[in-house]
Amino acid sequence: MIQLTDAHKIVKVEDGTITSPKGFVAGGLHCGLRRSKKDFGLLMSVQPASAAAVYTQSHFQAPPLKVTQESIASTQKLQALVVNSAIANACTGEEGLVNAYKMRSLIAERYVIPEDYVAVASTGVIGQQLEMEKIERGSMNVHPSKEGDHDFQQAILTTDTCEKSACYQLEVDGKTVTVAGAAKGSGMIHPNMATMLGFITTDAKIESEHLQNALSQSIEKSFNQITVDGETSTNDTVLTMANGTVDHQVLTPEHPQWEAFQKTLQLVCEDLAKKIAKDGEGATKLIEVNVTGALSDEDARTVAKKVVGSNLVKTAVYGVDANWGRIVGAVGHSDAQVSAENCDIYIESQLVFSKGTPCVFSEDQAIEDMSKETVMIHIALNEGAGSGTAWGCDLTYDYVKINASYRT
């Protein structure tokens, strides 16, 4: 564990997973939707949990999202989440909706819980119908447990190259509360949610209304600040379950530890978001863009997203080319208020552009800096006090190869 802040007493749990919070179990298996990899997962709470979620803003929301939205709206509670990879069950018409409801009912019947306590998620190829006999097989054979965390985390992946998890702990009323998460996402990742799934668990005691507000705030500074390729998908969901198994006073914005809980949730979201960006299809580097001195935080986030989403910046990072003109171009093309005469741009620690004028810098040092796994770009707009960060990845030849043959 690493102490992050004495004020909040938040610690990072390096080996923590989706089942680290008390009262959560998970499992995953290969049900046959894919050739060999795990493709069916189940996450459960020992008791009904307060639920909150944020979804893609695409106008073509997939049937699983509609079913999950209905479940949460009914009682603001969830006890189970069933998810499949390989087939997104998106743009599949009435049959796809029926199949999403069937996924929900299969789990509800097996575990004797209300159907409205089950959420559904899918990811994979758009436009294909689910093979429901395989989904039924998965629902009968998956056995969630405390040790099933990695099976679940593997079961939600598509073109991802690794599991993505995060876990932090904090003290609430003298009791240890854990917040953890798992995610998938590799391509079609862009702000306002994209082809990614994120699931967060916590044993904190909190009502759905406040959990929703905390989640929405956290997502603005995390998942909505990443981009891989500027594409947005149909299935994207970040869902949180808080089962209240730790006996503390109910968390509300008036609780003394509310700010610490909000920060902890944001840290989990940020870690997952950065892991998604770093594992972009074909990516070799994570790009982090920090913007300070904007007129507002919103302006700062806008500039950061614009730079990290620029294909010209992304290819320059891949090519280890300190072509700061591409950064200037992206900043100038953003919707934020910026001025070349006020702006300073750094690649790592080197000032490459200052107040409308190029700066002398070491190309050798720039090559060394841009060869790192994480490339840092700092932009000081010098317009106000706003700040923001965004994350993305480089754009490589392999991105084209992966997406040229995605269905095969």
Side-chain angles (χ1 to χ4, degrees):
M1 295 185 181
I2 300 174
Q3 187 82 30
L4 292 178
T5 164
D6 291 333
H8 293 318
K9 295 184 179 179
I10 301 171
V11 295
K12 183 173 185 177
V13 184
E14 294 292 352
D15 58 350
T17 68
I18 193 79
T19 61
S20 291
K22 294 178 181 178
F24 286 96
V25 293
L29 50 71
H30 175 242
C31 75
L33 297 175
R34 308 176 72 174
R35 289 193 181 97
S36 59
K37 295 181 180 179
K38 292 182 177 67
D39 51 18
F40 186 92
L42 181 63
L43 174 67
M44 294 196 70
S45 171
V46 296
Q47 62 191 33
S50 296
V54 176
Y55 312 93
T56 179
Q57 294 186 14
S58 169
H59 296 297
F60 293 89
Q61 288 191 347
L65 274 70
K66 297 176 181 179
V67 172
T68 296
Q69 289 169 6
E70 179 183 295
S71 287
I72 294 177
S74 176
T75 63
Q76 286 76 54
K77 299 284 185 181
L78 288 176
Q79 196 166 355
L81 162 75
V82 58
V83 57
N84 73 275
S85 56
I87 298 175
N89 190 13
C91 301
T92 46
E94 185 63 28
E95 182 180 349
L97 187 60
V98 169
N99 288 339
Y101 279 118
K102 181 63 175 177
M103 283 183 68
R104 185 174 76 167
S105 65
L106 285 168
I107 298 302
E109 290 169 8
R110 180 181 174 190
Y111 292 97
V112 195
I113 57 177
E115 289 192 9
D116 285 345
Y117 278 11
V118 182
V120 181
S122 299
T123 184
V125 177
I126 292 172
Q128 293 185 9
Q129 296 292 348
L130 285 172
E131 299 172 74
M132 290 307 295
E133 70 280 2
K134 296 178 179 178
I135 294 293
E136 291 185 34
R137 186 188 312 151
S139 67
M140 294 306 299
N141 292 325
V142 68
H143 299 289
S145 67
K146 204 71 176 174
E147 295 72 36
D149 46 1
H150 293 290
D151 288 337
F152 174 84
Q153 289 169 184
Q154 292 166 17
I156 67 176
L157 307 181
T158 50
T159 57
D160 307 65
T161 65
C162 60
E163 295 177 36
K164 300 170 179 66
S165 61
C167 183
Y168 288 82
Q169 291 181 330
L170 73 155
E171 285 190 12
V172 178
D173 297 333
K175 308 290 181 60
T176 298
V177 166
T178 305
V179 183
K184 66 81 50 182
S186 195
M188 292 184 76
I189 303 297
H190 192 63
N192 293 328
M193 309 288 291
T195 186
M196 59 177 226
L197 299 176
F199 307 120
I200 299 169
T201 56
T202 179
D203 43 26
K205 190 178 296 185
I206 179 174
E207 295 300 323
S208 177
E209 174 189 1
H210 298 307
L211 184 63
Q212 182 67 59
N213 290 336
L215 178 65
S216 297
Q217 288 186 44
S218 296
I219 281 177
E220 275 302 303
K221 298 178 181 180
S222 57
F223 291 110
N224 277 355
Q225 287 299 108
I226 61 174
T227 182
V228 168
D229 51 17
E231 300 294 338
T232 298
S233 187
T234 53
N235 290 57
D236 319 308
T237 305
V238 176
L239 184 149
T240 306
M241 297 168 65
N243 64 14
T245 53
V246 175
D247 187 21
H248 60 76
Q249 294 296 313
V250 177
L251 281 166
T252 69
E254 288 72 40
H255 192 288
Q257 273 84 53
W258 174 258
E259 184 180 347
F261 176 77
Q262 174 74 71
K263 178 64 176 178
T264 305
L265 180 60
Q266 183 177 322
L267 286 169
V268 170
C269 291
E270 282 184 5
D271 278 12
L272 294 175
K274 286 190 282 187
K275 289 179 179 181
I276 289 172
K278 186 175 183 179
D279 193 34
E281 289 171 338
T284 65
K285 301 184 184 81
L286 175 70
I287 306 171
E288 180 173 315
V289 178
N290 295 298
V291 177
T292 59
L295 282 181
S296 65
D297 289 348
E298 182 179 358
D299 265 11
R301 291 195 294 266
T302 297
V303 172
K305 286 189 288 187
K306 189 68 176 180
V307 173
V308 85
S310 164
N311 283 341
L312 291 178
V313 173
K314 290 155 68 68
T315 50
V317 171
Y318 173 63
V320 194
D321 178 13
N323 187 347
W324 54 264
R326 295 182 173 184
I327 302 172
V328 166
V331 173
H333 190 242
S334 72
D335 292 330
Q337 180 170 320
V338 299
S339 168
E341 287 70 28
N342 293 334
C343 183
D344 296 325
I345 295 175
Y346 297 78
I347 297 177
E348 291 287 337
S349 61
Q350 290 203 93
L351 182 64
V352 295
F353 175 83
S354 180
K355 298 177 175 57
T357 304
C359 299
V360 177
F361 65 94
S362 168
E363 289 281 359
D364 290 341
Q365 183 62 50
I367 290 172
E368 181 180 335
D369 290 339
M370 295 183 71
S371 297
K372 297 176 181 178
E373 287 188 4
T374 300
V375 176
M376 308 287 290
I377 297 171
H378 175 63
I379 301 163
L381 296 177
N382 299 307
E383 302 281 352
S387 62
T389 303
W391 299 273
C393 61
D394 56 347
L395 183 59
T396 73
Y397 305 117
D398 284 341
Y399 176 84
V400 178
K401 292 178 183 178
I402 290 168
N403 283 283
S405 57
Y406 183 77
R407 294 198 304 162
T408 57

